[in-house]
Amino acid sequence: MSTNKEQQAFGSLSPAVMRASTVVFDSLDDFVQRKKRQPDGFSYGVTGTPTARLLERRIAELEGGQHCVIAPSGAAALMTAVMGFVRGGDHMLVSAACYGTLKTFAEKWLARMNVDVELYQPAIGAEIEALIKPNTRMICMESPGTVTMEMQDIPAIARVARKHGVLTMLDNTWASPLGFKPLEHGVDFSIEAATKFFSGHSDVLMGSIAMNSHAHYDVLRETQSILGQQVSPEDCFLVLRGMETLALRVHAQGESTLEVARFLEQHALVERVMYPPLESDPGHAIWERDFKTNGCLFSLILKPGPERAFHAFFDSLQHFVIGASWGGVHSLAAYYPAALQANRPFPATDQPVVRLSIGLEGADALQADLAQALAAYGKALSSN
Ligand SMILES: Cc1ncc(COP(=O)(O)O)c(C=O)c1O
């Protein structure tokens, strides 16, 4: 029977897309000894493919880590990291500004499984020590926080967690490892929604968990496989291709983002820009100390206005398209009504939030687009 040996021998510059549910062996002895003979331990597609392993190695390298496990989405990566280690009876601390799906998972599913879930104020820093209990198992962080962009003092929290034997995970999607390397700051698990910057083209969902500990890797490899969190090799190929241009995109999008944010900060109809690279942002000092890139995502609060003024703003946009997600080459605008914040513990605002993801269209064109959309917003305000 022909095998993929021909494929492996073919010297293509691009990675091979290797599909498999079934993995075959030349002899029963090879099958019985598979774990010893194949360091990657392939025996069935659910544990991954060589294409997936290649992507995992690339991500681990970029994160400055020893190991990586990929999952079918950023959300799946967050849940896999939690499910690998958190059990009924444990206490788990979650930043109030973490990605909403993680909070929902913690509060709806884990809490029902007898996990004591506690949301903490993102700016807590080393004072998180006061919240640690004998059964605290994991601290879940994200910096800057989802939508409201609060910076966290990650090294301080990681130090306290290590001292108490508590695991830490950080959703590092905003910075990417080019901007911040969580593992170098004492965090146990660096999580990326590869859906965003890594893939870069809004056409694939993926997540990754990078780490240094081999023991943690064994747990997460098993968790990934037991939960059936397998990733298609075609999707791995797309993320591998995206990563070839990651540094260029992160740099170019970051430059444009800072320009657009500075422009908005000066605009009469903008009350507040939530973006740590701006000197005016409360998280600026931590961002400047720890981060190397600007990110491409920020939020703003407009001068208060009725719902129809927000419709006028969004519907006037030409370059920005209205849609969830971020980190791709096309600029996106998303709307978060005031109620979402009001229902949050430690809310950052009681106003509606507009979130912008800056792509590669060029800062001038994007500023002009925002200027005319703000003019429409202003017109709707004055016709009140
Ligand atoms: C910060 C952050 N983390 C995780 C996720 C989840 O990623 P995915 O959409 O791939 O599940 C998102 C998605 O918007 C996100 O913004």
Side-chain angles (χ1 to χ4, degrees):
M1 194 178 31
S2 80
T3 67
N4 62 18
K5 283 183 187 133
E6 292 90 347
Q7 221 196 83
Q8 283 164 357
F10 178 59
S12 170
L13 184 57
S14 72
V17 174
M18 295 198 195
R19 306 189 55 85
S21 60
T22 302
V23 177
V24 294
F25 298 86
D26 289 340
S27 68
L28 185 59
D29 193 46
D30 276 355
F31 175 73
V32 172
Q33 304 285 341
R34 65 192 180 281
K35 289 241 159 77
K36 278 196 205 135
R37 292 194 182 161
Q38 294 192 14
D40 276 321
F42 299 120
S43 59
Y44 186 58
V46 80
T47 56
T49 58
T51 315
R53 291 292 185 278
L54 176 65
L55 176 57
E56 289 175 342
R57 280 197 299 278
R58 292 259 166 95
I59 296 174
E61 218 169 273
L62 199 62
E63 299 263 15
Q66 293 297 314
H67 303 283
C68 174
V69 169
I70 53 172
S73 67
L78 292 165
M79 312 315 156
T80 300
V82 172
M83 291 304 280
F85 298 97
V86 176
R87 300 285 175 269
D90 287 344
H91 173 238
M92 188 170 96
L93 287 162
V94 181
S95 162
C98 265
Y99 179 58
T101 306
L102 176 66
K103 281 194 292 179
T104 306
F105 175 66
E107 291 185 298
K108 283 206 174 150
W109 275 267
L110 293 179
R112 279 189 215 138
M113 293 181 213
N114 197 30
V115 175
D116 175 12
V117 174
E118 185 175 354
L119 299 186
Y120 69 87
Q121 183 206 346
I124 196 164
E127 284 167 31
I128 199 158
E129 189 156 22
L131 302 183
I132 292 180
K133 303 178 183 179
N135 61 338
T136 306
R137 182 70 175 141
M138 186 180 266
I139 302 176
C140 300
M141 308 176 280
E142 184 181 328
S143 184
T146 279
V147 181
T148 41
M149 303 284 150
E150 297 96 326
M151 287 298 295
Q152 293 199 32
D153 191 340
I154 302 298
I157 297 177
R159 258 194 306 278
V160 169
R162 284 266 155 118
K163 182 172 141 199
H164 291 272
V166 175
L167 294 170
T168 47
M169 62 114 112
L170 172 70
D171 184 331
N172 192 47
T173 310
W174 186 91
S176 90
L178 300 180
F180 185 70
K181 288 191 171 29
L183 304 181
E184 290 179 0
H185 294 269
V187 174
D188 293 302
F189 305 107
S190 174
I191 308 216
E192 313 283 341
T195 308
K196 320 293 178 191
F197 262 143
F198 281 10
S199 84
H201 294 79
S202 314
D203 51 9
V204 63
L205 286 145
M206 184 128 17
S208 64
I209 313 166
M211 73 218 85
N212 274 319
S213 154
H214 189 74
H216 290 163
Y217 173 70
D218 279 347
V219 171
L220 290 184
R221 174 59 67 210
E222 185 192 56
T223 310
Q224 167 266 311
S225 134
I226 294 291
L227 294 178
Q229 303 276 28
Q230 172 48 16
V231 175
S232 111
E234 277 86 1
D235 288 353
C236 292
F237 177 86
L238 286 173
V239 176
L240 281 162
R241 184 152 77 178
M243 287 176 73
E244 301 277 344
T245 55
L246 177 68
L248 285 175
R249 288 184 283 105
V250 166
H251 182 72
Q253 288 174 242
E255 297 252 296
S256 285
T257 306
L258 189 57
E259 256 185 75
V260 173
R262 286 205 196 288
F263 158 77
L264 287 169
E265 197 181 26
Q266 302 303 322
H267 198 286
L269 290 172
V270 175
E271 200 153 84
R272 184 172 156 203
V273 180
M274 297 154 137
Y275 184 48
L278 291 177
E279 293 75 6
S280 58
D281 190 277
H284 182 71
I286 293 180
W287 173 84
E288 197 169 37
R289 184 192 68 187
D290 294 344
F291 282 43
K292 292 195 173 71
T293 55
N294 294 341
C296 71
L297 187 74
F298 66 96
S299 294
L300 52 143
I301 293 171
L302 301 183
K303 294 265 181 240
E307 198 65 16
R308 68 184 157 73
F310 284 91
H311 282 267
F313 173 80
F314 276 89
D315 294 346
S316 303
L317 291 168
Q318 302 290 317
H319 282 295
F320 286 88
V321 287
I322 303 166
S325 202
W326 55 276
V329 298
H330 298 289
S331 293
L332 298 175
Y335 180 61
Y336 299 88
L340 281 184
Q341 286 301 313
N343 293 335
R344 190 189 111 174
F346 316 111
T349 176
D350 57 2
Q351 295 296 308
V353 179
V354 176
R355 191 181 74 172
L356 300 177
S357 174
I358 303 299
L360 287 177
E361 296 89 344
D364 289 348
L366 296 174
Q367 277 176 35
D369 196 20
L370 290 164
Q372 61 84 24
L374 283 166
Y377 184 81
K379 205 166 149 201
L381 287 191
S382 55
S383 66
N384 219 353

